[in-house]
Amino acid sequence: MRKLSQRHKENLKKTKNIICSNLEQAISILQETSTAKFVESVELHANLNIDPKYADQQLRTTLMLPHGIGKSIKVAVLTNEANFKEVTEAGADITGNEELIEEISKGNIDFDLLIATPDMMPKLAK
């Protein structure tokens, strides 16, 4: 069996047989035991007491983190010229039609998310 470090032994003593019933207590224990020289991550495992076999008890949802994921997403929209103004007002970073499709086919992809209107989808499939 490999030898445990002194820091790990101390953390085991602090957390032995502790069951956190609320979030504040769990966060305080995490802050006490976090002594690494890098940014540590945390996993949360929760028992929800649901049975996923039943449709009314299935859990499918998304969660928006309070500070986002740390990077901004650049959005490109493929649409006809009549909708350019509306799309840019909605917050698109790049708008285009056939010219943008040509750039994509050349390999110039300088965006993270591409949205295409139904009339541009057949042209994009080529």
Side-chain angles (χ1 to χ4, degrees), residues 6-20:
Q6 183 177 357
R7 180 182 66 87
H8 189 67
K9 288 178 186 176
E10 290 173 4
N11 285 343
L12 286 176
K13 287 178 187 176
K14 289 179 186 176
T15 59
K16 188 174 183 178
N17 297 328
I18 295 177
I19 297 175
C20 300

Side-chain angles (χ1 to χ4, degrees), residues 3-110:
K3 187 176 176 183
L4 297 177
S5 68
Q6 183 177 357
R7 180 182 66 87
H8 189 67
K9 288 178 186 176
E10 290 173 4
N11 285 343
L12 286 176
K13 287 178 187 176
K14 289 179 186 176
T15 59
K16 188 174 183 178
N17 297 328
I18 295 177
I19 297 175
C20 300
S21 60
N22 59 14
L23 191 59
E24 290 81 17
Q25 182 184 8
I27 291 173
S28 67
I29 291 172
L30 280 172
Q31 289 174 342
E32 289 175 15
T33 59
S34 65
T35 57
K37 296 179 183 176
F38 55 87
V39 178
E40 297 174 324
S41 62
V42 177
E43 287 185 18
L44 173 69
H45 297 265
N47 186 2
L48 301 176
N49 292 327
I50 58 174
D51 191 0
K53 291 189 290 185
Y54 303 107
D56 62 336
Q57 292 186 12
Q58 290 181 353
L59 183 65
R60 291 189 177 114
T61 185
T62 58
L63 175 70
M64 295 300 294
L65 298 174
H67 300 292
I69 57 173
K71 77 173 209 177
S72 60
I73 297 175
K74 197 170 186 181
V75 178
V77 178
L78 279 172
T79 185
N80 54 15
E81 292 182 17
N83 295 333
F84 277 6
K85 184 178 179 184
E86 181 182 342
V87 168
T88 53
E89 289 174 358
D93 299 313
I94 301 171
T95 56
N97 47 18
E98 285 83 15
E99 296 86 19
L100 185 58
I101 293 174
E102 290 174 11
E103 287 183 30
I104 293 170
S105 63
K106 290 178 185 174
N108 298 333
I109 301 174
D110 58 343

